[in-house]
Amino acid sequence: MTWIAGLPEGATDWERFSRLCPEAFEALAGLVAAAWAEVDPVLLELARLRTATLLGAAGELERRNASAREAGVTEAKVAELHAWPTSPQFSARERACLALTEQFVVDANGVTDSLVASVTEHLGPDGCYRFVQALSVLETFQRACLTLGITAVPDEDALARLSVEVPR
């Protein structure tokens, strides 16, 4: 439940805020949709969930991305996410992306050349750039929702639709 009073009517805090600031929420939904369109959904889902853990975004931890599930993210893997550095559930590629994710969320200034090089080794320069951009979008999205008190957000497919038609 949000702490902001006087929002328009809506079934969820997300709907109420999107009616209050439709252009901003349309842009945010579009950025999230674009992030999912540009990056391997498995890598992005693992990064999204790790970010949610680090930020304490409980609502984000409850959701699962359908594309990531279809691409192979299992609940067993999600349950091991806290142990990603040593768990056999994670590939070297996933570990590289999770290491960068963790440092980025905790202290972006502490991201090192070696973290970037490790991701680049697995994704290539363009893939690393897309991953970092998507990570930035999802972190910003989660921090905005936490700040506003929005605990239930639409899934990524719904956000993609919302970026085209925002309720007014």
Side-chain angles (χ1 to χ4, degrees), residues 14 29-30 32-37 41 45 48 63-70 138 141 153-165:
W14 178 270
V32 171
W36 284 100
E45 179 72 343
R48 182 187 71 79
R63 293 187 304 109
R64 297 295 180 268
N65 177 273
S67 298
R69 265 197 323 267
E70 291 168 9
L138 294 186
F141 179 78
V153 298
D155 65 21
E156 288 74 25
D157 291 334
L159 286 172
R161 288 189 302 277
L162 289 173
S163 70
V164 176
E165 53 183 78

Side-chain angles (χ1 to χ4, degrees), residues 52-161:
T53 299
L54 294 168
L55 296 179
E60 286 289 314
L61 291 170
E62 295 172 9
R63 293 187 304 109
R64 297 295 180 268
N65 177 273
S67 298
R69 265 197 323 267
E70 291 168 9
V73 173
T74 64
E75 286 304 311
K77 185 172 251 184
V78 170
E80 284 291 305
L81 196 51
H82 70 282
W84 66 265
T86 57
S87 171
Q89 290 274 346
F90 299 91
S91 67
R93 179 176 184 252
E94 292 165 340
R95 281 192 184 92
C97 290
L98 286 166
L100 180 62
T101 296
E102 201 159 287
Q103 184 59 55
F104 186 90
V105 172
V106 172
D107 177 14
N109 288 325
V111 171
T112 63
D113 289 345
S114 66
L115 287 170
V116 173
S118 183
V119 172
T120 301
E121 177 183 324
H122 294 283
L123 304 182
D126 186 56
C128 180
Y129 176 79
R130 286 193 320 257
F131 179 77
V132 170
Q133 289 300 309
L135 176 60
S136 178
V137 166
L138 294 186
E139 180 198 24
T140 298
F141 179 78
Q142 287 185 26
R143 286 184 188 273
C145 289
L146 284 168
T147 300
L148 295 171
I150 299 172
T151 55
V153 298
D155 65 21
E156 288 74 25
D157 291 334
L159 286 172
R161 288 189 302 277

Side-chain angles (χ1 to χ4, degrees), residues 40-52:
D40 176 342
V42 170
L43 296 177
L44 201 52
E45 179 72 343
L46 295 174
R48 182 187 71 79
L49 291 169
R50 188 63 189 143
T51 299

